[in-house]
Amino acid sequence: MNRVKRALAPYLLVLPGGLWLLLFFVVPMATMLSLSLQEGDIVNGYVFTGHWQTYVEAISDYQTQLIRSLVYGAITSVILIVLAFPVAYWIAFYGGKKKAIYLFLILLPFFVSFVLRTISWRMLLTDDGVLLHPLKEAGLLSSGFHLLGTPTAVIGGLVYNFLPFMVLPIYVALERIDPRVVEAARDLYASPATAFRKVIFPLALPGVFAGVLMTFVPASSDYVNSELLGGTSTTMIGQVIQSKFLHTSDYPTASALAFSLMAVLLLGVFAYARALGTEDVMKVAAR
Amino acid sequence: MTQTLIPAPPASETRPAPRRRFRIGGARVMHFYTWLLIAWLALPILVMILFGFNNPSGRYNQTWQGPPTLKWYRDLFALPDLTDALIASLVVAVISSLVSGALGTGIGYALGRYRFRGAGATNLVMFAAISSPELVMGASLLTLFVSMGVGPGWTTLTIAHVMFSIAFVATVVRARVVTLDRSIEEAAADLGANAWTTFWKVTFPILLPAIFSGVMLAFALSIDDFVISNFTAGNVQTFPLWIWGSTRVGLPPQVNVMGTLIFAVGVLIAVIANLRSRPRKQQD
């Protein structure tokens, strides 16, 4: 009896949460996939017809926004690697007893609502805001100079909002490096630059990959930054999907776009997971 | 400098001091740069705090018009909608963090402790739930509710928040379960405790801090969530949804005040939690 109980224990523990995830994560994905292959409208209802042409039409209609989103996401991730690596490096190797304080300061934006801190950025970047107005008054910038509504503002906002997600995983990877490994390289006459290139950087790579995963996916599917900081020339696919779902109720097209976006992103994610394992990402994600 | 001038005591001559030779150059530059980046991260937060004291003449609270005023702190609850939105956020966050705390702890404990058929699939679903774009999760939930004919509202909002928090709670709990020292449980069993007593008197108290931080994480995720809520809330306004809606008509300074207060409380809790956990860390 006891043995049966023990064998059943993990299933009883997993069941409630697993059922919740099945019903409200897996089933909705299937519903969305099915809806993207249906025809009809919100008034008369939808019928499953396997109408895959919706995908063709949706992607050809919105390929600009789709590609722009992936490009913005990729640019954001690359900028983030360049910005975050030195910070993660400095905290991991020179932070000493104050490591926790530095990491806390990096995480500070998370104590302000995502939407609210993006609005604060808009207030900074707006033409008569505290950043540009004084510069224009002083004649350092021409009055025709704008930041709001440009790709710079949107990508800047994405970089700002996702920076901690790049610093943390790189920091975790660097922190785990055994100092003796680096010392061994130096004892074998590697110059500091060579030791960095051949020892430290390769060991930090899983962290970089985890960071790319945690920034590229949310950045390319974001619509808050592009809505609040961008203009008509910076529309991202998230805005299209959001407006098709919530304003025009064109569910099949919206589903097809959302599914295409996720397919592109998850392909990358699972390729990563197969190559490097999910443990690192999960650890970092749960911090 | 002084260390090289003072001759080392004989005892340490045989054992050279540990060298930290991987300190490559440019440390000062990197230190300065780190602070520069922290300043950049703090900039919008300062703007938010500052404009809570602003005295705007029009609807738009985006240009500084002094003198600084405390009137928005005094009239913090003068906008009933905004107050309701804050309460809605808190209610959903409390309910969803407790439910996802219970459900996530079960999964985390099972994955950390047992080997069982289906563990791989559970891991896969959790990984997918953490790494899927929020936009797609929110949108797919909406398609489910639409096709079931369920109107979005309080229930769907709470269901969604529980859904995206479970995997995070489970991951935090599992990490602690894996590092659990089994000999403590064996000692309890040796002293005559049955499985049930061992769990509640020994294992559960050890796991409690991890469960608590999982619940806190779920609470923070829930209260800040905008994207998934945008799809599943219907007419319910949470704090982020209200801010989003009000950007078109101009943001009242009370939003900045509430943001500032939430920021202050969050930082305070984090600092206290960190100070409390310090002695325990030193024992490890």
Side-chain angles (χ1 to χ4, degrees), chain B residues 47-106:
Chain B
V47 169
M48 175 191 76
I49 296 172
L50 184 72
F51 278 80
F53 297 103
N54 193 20
N55 203 353
S57 51
R59 282 194 310 186
Y60 289 89
N61 178 30
Q62 59 181 23
T63 46
W64 178 257
Q65 284 144 336
T69 171
L70 280 170
K71 83 174 152 192
W72 311 117
Y73 280 80
R74 218 171 35 236
D75 300 343
L76 183 56
F77 301 113
L79 302 168
D81 289 357
L82 181 57
T83 311
D84 289 349
L86 194 68
I87 293 170
S89 274
L90 286 170
V91 169
V92 173
V94 167
I95 297 174
S96 67
S97 60
L98 291 178
V99 175
S100 65
L103 301 183
T105 300

Side-chain angles (χ1 to χ4, degrees), chain A residues 111-279:
Chain A
F111 291 95
V112 177
S113 170
F114 175 50
V115 180
L116 192 48
R117 59 179 189 254
T118 311
I119 289 175
S120 284
W121 260 120
R122 188 166 78 162
M123 286 163 65
L124 276 164
L125 300 181
T126 191
D127 285 344
D128 50 357
V130 285
L131 206 65
L132 293 191
H133 189 65
L135 290 174
K136 285 186 177 180
E137 285 279 280
L140 291 170
L141 287 174
S142 77
S143 57
F145 181 84
H146 303 294
L147 268 177
L148 216 57
T150 63
T152 314
V154 177
I155 295 174
L158 292 171
V159 168
Y160 175 82
N161 275 316
F162 298 118
L163 179 76
F165 289 121
M166 187 61 90
V167 176
L168 273 186
I170 299 180
Y171 166 80
V172 170
L174 288 171
E175 169 78 338
R176 273 198 227 134
I177 296 177
D178 187 341
R180 285 172 299 184
V181 179
V182 188
E183 280 186 22
R186 298 285 280 121
D187 285 341
L188 294 166
Y189 299 105
S191 70
T194 312
F196 178 83
R197 198 161 43 83
K198 298 243 173 180
V199 179
I200 297 176
F201 189 71
L203 288 172
L205 263 184
V208 175
F209 282 127
V212 169
L213 184 61
M214 289 174 64
T215 57
F216 179 62
V217 172
S220 27
S221 59
D222 175 83
Y223 61 90
V224 173
N225 284 281
S226 54
E227 179 82 32
L228 292 176
L229 304 173
T232 45
S233 63
T234 61
T235 313
M236 289 171 74
I237 196 70
Q239 283 170 281
V240 178
I241 296 172
Q242 193 253 173
S243 121
K244 288 222 172 295
F245 267 118
L246 297 174
H247 302 306
T248 49
S249 299
D250 182 359
Y251 293 125
T253 308
S255 300
L257 284 175
F259 213 79
S260 309
L261 175 69
M262 194 179 73
V264 176
L265 293 177
L266 282 197
L267 225 60
V269 169
F270 279 93
Y272 163 84
R274 277 197 83 87
L276 292 145
T278 58
E279 280 295 306

Side-chain angles (χ1 to χ4, degrees), chain A residues 6 9-11 13-14 16-18 20-29 31-32 35 42 46 82-84 86-87 89-94 100-102 104-117 119-124 126 128-131 156 159-160 163-164 167 179 182-183 186-187 192-193 196 200 213 217-218 221-224 227-228 237-238 241-242 245-246 251 255 258-259 261-262 265-266 269-270 272-273 278-279 281-283 285-287, chain B residues 18-28 30-31 33-35 37-38 40-45 47-48 50-51 61-64 99 103-107 109-111 113-118 122-137 139-147 158-160 162-163 166-168 171-172 174 182 217 223-224 226-228 230-231 239-240 243-244 247-248 251 255-256 258-260 262-263 266-267 270-271 274 278:
Chain A
R6 260 192 77 77
Y11 296 102
L13 286 165
V14 167
W20 200 289
L21 282 174
L22 186 73
L23 279 179
F24 302 118
F25 176 70
V26 180
V27 170
M29 293 288 175
T31 314
M32 195 174 74
L35 192 53
I42 187 86
Y46 297 98
V82 176
L83 283 184
V87 172
Y89 189 92
W90 193 85
I91 297 174
F93 289 147
Y94 299 87
I101 295 173
Y102 281 109
F104 177 68
L105 291 173
I106 297 282
L107 288 175
L108 223 46
F110 287 159
F111 291 95
V112 177
S113 170
F114 175 50
V115 180
L116 192 48
R117 59 179 189 254
I119 289 175
S120 284
W121 260 120
R122 188 166 78 162
M123 286 163 65
L124 276 164
T126 191
D128 50 357
V130 285
L131 206 65
V159 168
Y160 175 82
L163 179 76
V167 176
V182 188
E183 280 186 22
R186 298 285 280 121
D187 285 341
F196 178 83
I200 297 176
L213 184 61
V217 172
S221 59
D222 175 83
Y223 61 90
V224 173
E227 179 82 32
L228 292 176
I237 196 70
I241 296 172
Q242 193 253 173
F245 267 118
L246 297 174
Y251 293 125
S255 300
F259 213 79
L261 175 69
M262 194 179 73
L265 293 177
L266 282 197
V269 169
F270 279 93
Y272 163 84
T278 58
E279 280 295 306
V281 185
M282 299 282 271
K283 260 182 213 143
R287 277 183 76 95
Chain B
R19 286 168 300 172
R20 312 214 37 200
R21 286 210 293 192
F22 58 93
R23 290 187 164 213
I24 63 164
R28 262 161 206 251
M30 276 195 285
H31 190 185
Y33 169 75
T34 301
W35 277 107
L37 212 75
I38 289 171
W40 179 58
L41 287 171
L43 196 60
I45 302 174
V47 169
M48 175 191 76
L50 184 72
F51 278 80
N61 178 30
Q62 59 181 23
T63 46
W64 178 257
V99 175
L103 301 183
T105 300
I107 297 184
Y109 187 79
L111 287 175
R113 169 53 55 92
Y114 303 100
R115 294 177 159 274
F116 59 100
R117 203 182 288 259
T122 312
N123 263 323
L124 184 73
V125 171
M126 291 218 313
F127 177 71
I130 284 179
S131 53
S132 285
E134 283 186 89
L135 170 76
V136 178
M137 286 199 277
S140 67
L141 270 169
L142 181 65
T143 63
L144 177 73
F145 297 140
V146 164
S147 60
T158 313
I159 284 175
V162 172
M163 182 275 286
I166 288 177
F168 286 96
T171 309
V172 174
R174 181 180 58 184
R182 294 290 289 269
L217 180 65
I223 208 158
D224 189 32
F226 167 73
V227 175
I228 293 178
N230 194 17
F231 284 96
F239 186 56
I243 301 171
W244 174 261
T247 51
R248 277 155 232 271
L251 208 62
V255 168
N256 290 52
M258 279 187 184
T260 305
I262 294 173
F263 175 73
V267 168
V271 168
N274 192 44
R278 209 157 259 180

